[in-house]
Amino acid sequence: MEKEIKANIPKGNLQDKWSNYKAQAKLVSPNNRKKLEIIVVGTGLAGSSAAASLAEMGYKVKAFCFQDSPRRAHSVAAQGGVNAMKNYQNDGDSVYRMFHDTLKGGDFRSREANTYRLAECSASLIDQAVAQGVPFGREYSGYLKNRSFGGVQVSRTFYARGQTGQQLLLGAYQALMRQKEIGKIKLYARHEMLDLVLIDGKAKGIIARNLDTGKMERHAAHAVVLATGGFGKIYYLSTLAMGCNASAIWRAHKKGAFMANPSWTQIHPTSLPQSGPYQSKLTLMSESLRNDGRIWVPKAQNDQRPPHEIPENERDYYLERKYPSFGNLAPRDIASRAAKEQIDAGKGVGALKNAVYLDFKDAIHEYGKETIAERYGNLFSMYEKITGINAYQEPMKISPSAHFSMGGLWVDYDLMTNIPGLFAIGEANFSDHGANRLGANSLLQACVDGYYIAPYTLQNYLADQIQVPQSAINHPAFEIAENQAKKQLKEFVSCQGNKTSEEFHRELGKVLYDNCGLSRSAEGLQEAIQKIQQLRQEFKKNLLVPGDVEDINSELEKAGRVADYMELAELMCIDALQRNESCGAHFREEFQTDEGEALRNDKDFAFTAAWEWSGDSSSPILNKENLKFEFVQPTQRSYK
Amino acid sequence: MALTGLFLSFFLIIHLIGNLQLLLPEEQAHLQYNLYSDFLSTNFLVQLIAYVLYATILLHTIDAIYLTIKAKKASGAGYVKDKRNRASKWYARQMMLLGSIVFAFLVIHFKDFWYPYKFGELPMDANGNKDLFSLVITSFQELWYVILYAVAILSLGFHLLHGFFSAFRSVGVHHPKYNQLIKSIGVVFAISLTFGYLIIPFFIYFNF
Amino acid sequence: MKIHLKVWRQKNRHTKGKMHDYTLTEVDEEMSFLEMLDMLNLQLAKKGERPVEFDHDCREGICGQCGVMINGIAHGPLKNTTTCQLHMRSFKDGDTIYVEPFQAKAFPVIRDLKVNRTSLDEIIAAGGYVSVNTGQAPEANTILVSHEEAENAFDAAACIGCGACVATCKNASAALFTGAKIAQLARLPQGKKESNKRTINMVNRMEDLDFGHCTNTEACQVECPQDISVLTIAEMNYEYNKAKLKD
């Protein structure tokens, strides 16, 4: 049965909503906070910042990550920067403009109130990070520097060379370690959440597996925060880390949490192209490169000449041609699709004809090699390490690759899922980016959720939980969840087939790239659904996992993640199939303008699809949260 | 380690200046060197500094042993294939070995010169000072003794080549410019000291 | 190309490990080193053998989770390159490659090539931060940081915490790791305030954690994927000595 979904958006003007909320939110007094325990799963920017902030307030926090240290979470890999509305450049920026850019960038498929709050809280994040010692780029005078990023016409991106994510994460990680040192946070590294435990319909704990020993553990709490990031790794080849997964949110979904817009995956335009069948991941080259690099392909198909032999008039700078006002800085979905168009038209470059050029010749000519090296030196050397090519001398070859999940667990304005006590923050939720995320908004959202929103909204929830005693871990709900998780692991090991989960994952990724990637069609999606179902059947019968359950076993870890992907992939296709429109990253071939741009259908599809688990992954229940645009009129997105 | 090392480096300069008197014309060298030795062994202040020096040598040695044991313990199981040496200079890794050679030499050096001078019977020179000069000259008539001395001095040289700048680092000099300067001074210091100390035995061996 | 591998296999920290020989025949030179290990693991799994456990995550050189000794060198033959960024074009057909875990008492082996580097987190926990709570921060541009200060701080802050410095140091010292964090924060006005306390706590923690002592061989910087300067160690010494004098 379809349910009515309430996002609990506070009343009032856009700019008053968050302050009204904070003014009226319930509080927990300082001496009560230490009686309340919170589990935070994931230690990326969202998880670390939330764990640290909550611990600073006085709550007892347990933080979990599957990596060997919280500092390694994949936020670390974000390169280009973090957006914030400071208007230091005096170029006409404002909270409203930032909100509008984000809403428009997301093709009017996000919640106005959430998006506004993201812009509103952005400035504080820069203050916090600077205070923590994050070495942002500076002018010679000592003031903070900005650069511009795709999809906007102001410079509001703060950056620490090409390692902004790393530096922000280290700030949050250090804050977390500071709380660990004084005993406010208990850290469980190399632990993976296997299930969510519900008692009386509320999130009360998790089942985790110690990845070093294989032992199961039960952890109880008054609230559970999932900050487990995105699941772009479902495409197998992606810019994500090898360990990134959907398991925590997927298992929460199977316990009743809604999954929102799962098919909206950002395909990043500037990653390195695949070079062979053995490839395990695609490396991202920061979007900031598009500030100075010019993207082009040869005008002729199958042009075999090396780039420097192709004269200017035989090059097609297609982004500059098609989108003159944004040019090479067109938003990601548009830049990626434009690249795919060129590659599909046979103009791709490189050995596999799967890339386009990103050329710095003009920038080097204009600013000098030194300046370009200072701006992007680490990216150029990374490029050389991976490809063996010196990008100062010849253009980079880049190609689109799966990157960010705009979809995720459905959350209300409080960032709480429909399961009371279960919160989802950062990329793990769906809330702020609509159908396409703007560059440098990801770090922002993770930080804002963790530092500034979750601490307030969790408190609002926890205020009613003081009287509720913490659940004992011998409660039957823990027992059942643990046994189920164990049973699944045993099934993986005892299957004894002859295909590893990695091989299944590659096949699944291919199906998704082909049918649920940059462009989708009803026919392709239906075909994909069938293939996924077959693959899932085969996975059940023919999986090969060597080793034991109660032991360190990375093959077993992968098997669990791929098992979840097998189900989630189908939901992605179902989601893409039901949405008979194109919006942002979701491009349905049937719905495009004459010029080949995304054609939205606001009348029928101005809603968030919040899918409910029905017990069978092939027949999920669609719930709709209607998006009301009270303050902005959605328009046809144009970057021309 | 650094402070004791730097103090010992300072001593090496003084000791070398004293010993270079051996290179003066024989007449002058003979009397002046013995007078100088007598001054060193009778002056109260010098005596006091000498005890500080002995203590420093011991401290430097004990500290070295302690750190070596600690490093051994910290290093774990080691590697089957170990090419880590590509990343550093051999003498930087072999400070303990070089130091041990220098220490062993010191023992011999003390036994051969310091002990007989302090506690043994030595003939007097024309001015009535103990004739250390003749003892030194006689000792360096033996080729094997000259070679032993040379090996020890070369070890000391390499020890200084690393030890000098390393000591400044440990004290905390971290400005890139001054570090470069100190590294250069260290090289000059190590080479000139090695050269200075090496000249003496060969000079004596070939001239007497 | 054909590659002969000698890989360290060890069940856990209490058992003895030893090298095992494997041969891969279809290695592509465009493969990354870890993709080559993936290939080995796929073969082992298909034969019903236990795959080699090794650490890795982002595979783009920034998370610091990967790291093994390759032919006796931390992260392999290339300078300033993590294991995941090393590609097989750095080797020749028929080469024999030794693969061993980082060895140090402070990094006990978990399994095969996986080691426990929690000790590095412990050093950070002892003081590697500016003690600012969420919400306390003043407006960002009230803390002016000159371009040079910011760039110098960044140079030290770039550390990825992989532990190659420890693995490559003959004394198994964590001085470069600790020095980098102390230097980063000491180079910024925000971090100067508590530099004394931070330095003493972090250095003491490092001493307590089975790491050896720095003797300035400078090998750590050579093998550091981020080329963190050994001068950060001198800066740590400076901050430490200064703090001790004031203590």
Side-chain angles (χ1 to χ4, degrees), chain A residues 53 56 69 72 86 88 127 130 138 161 173-174 181 190 242-243 280-281 385-386 498 551 554, chain C residues 35 46 53 55 57-60 63 80 89 111 121 134 139-140 145 147 155 161 181 190 205:
Chain A
S53 304
E56 285 161 9
S69 161
R72 311 208 193 280
K86 285 285 197 185
Y88 286 156
D127 300 341
V130 165
R138 300 276 176 163
R161 290 198 203 152
Y173 152 78
Q174 286 160 201
E181 180 76 1
R190 287 203 200 261
M242 300 305 284
S280 58
K281 81 156 274 162
K385 275 177 204 168
I386 294 169
N498 51 31
D551 192 5
S554 43
Chain C
E35 283 162 359
K46 294 266 175 179
E53 290 286 343
D55 254 328
D57 199 26
C58 80
R59 295 204 177 186
E60 50 187 274
C63 77
N80 310 137
R89 69 180 85 91
R111 166 79 51 91
D121 288 324
T134 305
E139 151 60 39
V145 181
H147 181 76
D155 287 340
K181 187 49 69 186
Q190 304 92 300
R205 180 68 54 87

Side-chain angles (χ1 to χ4, degrees), chain A residues 428-500:
Chain A
N429 73 26
F430 87 106
S431 65
D432 294 345
H433 306 294
N436 172 54
R437 176 178 65 76
L438 289 184
N441 262 357
S442 169
L443 291 178
L444 172 68
Q445 186 222 343
C447 290
V448 165
D449 283 3
Y451 284 121
Y452 298 109
I453 301 175
Y456 290 96
T457 59
L458 261 145
Q459 184 147 264
N460 187 47
Y461 170 78
L462 289 169
D464 297 332
Q465 302 297 312
I466 302 164
Q467 305 305 329
V468 186
Q470 180 165 332
S471 318
I473 53 167
N474 50 18
H475 188 283
F478 278 96
E479 186 83 33
I480 294 167
E482 184 182 327
N483 287 340
Q484 251 169 7
K486 265 189 191 155
K487 186 167 155 261
Q488 191 198 30
L489 295 176
K490 278 187 190 139
E491 280 168 8
F492 291 149
V493 172
S494 59
C495 186
Q496 305 276 355
N498 51 31
K499 224 155 124 181
T500 63

